[in-house]
Amino acid sequence: GNVLAIGGLREKTIAALRSGIKTVLIPDENRKNVDDLAKEVKENLKIIYIKSVDEAITSTLVAPVKA
């Protein structure tokens, strides 16, 4: 299915950063809102833009690293 735009992107990304999250997936429709994010957030979070749930799955499910 398609991924819809979200509200509160600024607050959600700040919370993610404070929680120690390194990568966030955001709807491609919110790409224009990234300019409004704090410099600290943009520098310390890897932002992946997604348009569909399939993209979210392939972005998050990876093979485990072998020790």
Side-chain angles (χ1 to χ4, degrees), residues 23 25 46 48 50 52-65:
T23 304
L25 305 176
K46 178 179 178 185
I48 300 174
I50 57 172
S52 69
V53 174
D54 291 338
E55 290 178 8
I57 292 171
T58 57
S59 295
T60 57
L61 298 180
V62 296
V65 177

Side-chain angles (χ1 to χ4, degrees), residues 19-32:
S19 298
I21 293 172
K22 303 290 183 195
T23 304
V24 293
L25 305 176
I26 67 168
D28 191 61
E29 290 182 35
N30 286 98
R31 187 181 292 261
K32 61 187 176 288

Side-chain angles (χ1 to χ4, degrees), residues 32-47:
K32 61 187 176 288
N33 302 112
V34 172
D35 293 336
D36 299 334
L37 299 179
K39 181 180 176 184
E40 178 186 5
V41 171
K42 291 189 277 188
E43 290 177 352
N44 294 301
L45 280 181
K46 178 179 178 185
I47 299 173

